[in-house]
Amino acid sequence: GQNIDQPTEMTATEGAIVQINCTYQTSGFNGLFWYQQHAGEAPTFLSYNVLDGLEEKGRFSSFLSRSKGYSYLLLKELQMKDSASYLCAVRVAGSARQLTFGSGTQLTVLP
Amino acid sequence: DSGVTQTPKHLITATGQRVTLRCSPRSGDLSVYWYQQSLDQGLQFLIQYYNGEERAKGNILERFSAQQFPDLHSELNLSSLELGDSALYFCASSGTSERGNDEQYFGPGTRLTVT
């Protein structure tokens, strides 16, 4: 089975930088995804890592260390609209492509 | 707009009843996934279909079933409903991108309330 851990809540100030960590334990790792979800809305894809290292996409970056079972999502120049839940999800190897999601980190951006 | 559609948006029904949730994937996507999201459980994978065939099963109850039709739309059937089945039900679809990451695109969800 898979086990995914992320902090439940985080608070940061508008314009600042925040790092949301995710640790996982899984057999047959085949990719890690980050999704953003506003309350009552659908999750939207942010980033994907399958190899070690940093993937940058505008204000958002995601890092992966497979040997440590660790990832983080870095959000720069925070805006009020970034207040949302951030979901870490792991895909395992195999023909099925389903994801196992963490419980999410609720980020609140304060003015 | 992800391109995934789900109907209905909201559904209110009584315990013991049966409902059907419908999902149309993005054009060209062969895989459809169903997820349940309740306040205390997070996003839980239920079942996956690929081109009409069941591919993987997650934490899906025996009272729940799904299918994917030749036109690739999918339906999730929930029967003998209980209060605890009240949740947001999401459908997602994926294809195969050039990078092979085939991220899942989520529909807007169906909010089911069982009274």
Side-chain angles (χ1 to χ4, degrees):
Chain A
Q2 297 90 46
N3 189 40
I4 302 172
D5 287 313
Q6 35 180 150
T8 305
E9 295 177 330
M10 296 185 73
T11 303
T13 305
E14 197 175 11
I17 299 172
V18 71
Q19 177 175 312
I20 302 174
N21 295 325
C22 170
T23 58
Y24 64 88
Q25 293 173 308
T26 186
S27 51
F29 174 84
N30 191 23
L32 188 140
F33 295 75
W34 284 95
Y35 281 81
Q36 180 193 60
Q37 186 179 25
H38 288 97
E41 298 183 9
T44 54
F45 170 75
L46 290 178
S47 70
Y48 165 74
N49 296 72
V50 67
L51 299 176
D52 291 351
L54 189 68
E55 292 280 341
E56 296 188 79
K57 218 187 214 186
R59 294 190 300 116
F60 293 70
S61 304
S62 57
F63 172 83
L64 175 67
S65 168
R66 288 172 297 169
S67 62
K68 294 181 180 175
Y70 168 70
S71 173
Y72 68 71
L73 179 69
L74 194 71
L75 292 79
K76 302 176 190 173
E77 301 168 16
L78 280 172
Q79 303 174 8
M80 300 296 288
K81 68 178 182 179
D82 297 330
S83 292
S85 182
Y86 290 85
L87 308 172
C88 172
V90 170
R91 184 174 66 200
V92 298
S95 59
R97 310 296 273 178
Q98 79 270 25
L99 301 177
T100 300
F101 283 84
S103 299
T105 298
Q106 183 63 46
L107 174 67
T108 302
V109 180
L110 302 174
Chain B
D1 184 353
S2 67
V4 179
T5 60
Q6 288 186 250
T7 57
K9 282 190 96 167
H10 302 277
L11 200 49
I12 302 175
T13 189
T15 54
Q17 294 297 304
R18 174 189 168 94
V19 297
T20 297
L21 313 184
R22 184 189 168 103
C23 167
S24 291
R26 291 188 317 157
S27 176
D29 283 356
L30 299 179
S31 283
V32 168
Y33 311 77
W34 286 98
Y35 293 88
Q36 179 193 56
Q37 188 174 42
S38 51
L39 282 174
D40 58 347
Q41 290 284 331
L43 201 60
Q44 299 285 317
F45 168 70
L46 295 177
I47 196 163
Q48 178 204 357
Y49 278 82
Y50 177 82
N51 202 19
E53 295 193 2
E54 183 184 302
R55 180 63 65 92
K57 254 184 175 176
N59 301 319
I60 189 166
L61 300 171
E62 284 194 14
R63 300 184 284 110
F64 296 1
S65 64
Q67 53 184 328
Q68 187 179 27
F69 295 86
D71 67 352
L72 300 178
H73 91 270
S74 178
E75 293 181 356
L76 180 67
N77 301 296
L78 315 176
S79 61
S80 303
L81 284 167
E82 302 174 359
L83 295 177
D85 297 328
S86 295
L88 260 174
Y89 290 85
F90 287 106
C91 165
S93 75
S94 71
T96 303
S97 70
E98 288 182 2
R99 288 182 62 197
N101 57 333
D102 49 309
E103 62 263 27
Q104 295 180 22
Y105 293 86
F106 283 77
T110 293
R111 182 172 293 281
L112 174 66
T113 303
V114 182
T115 61

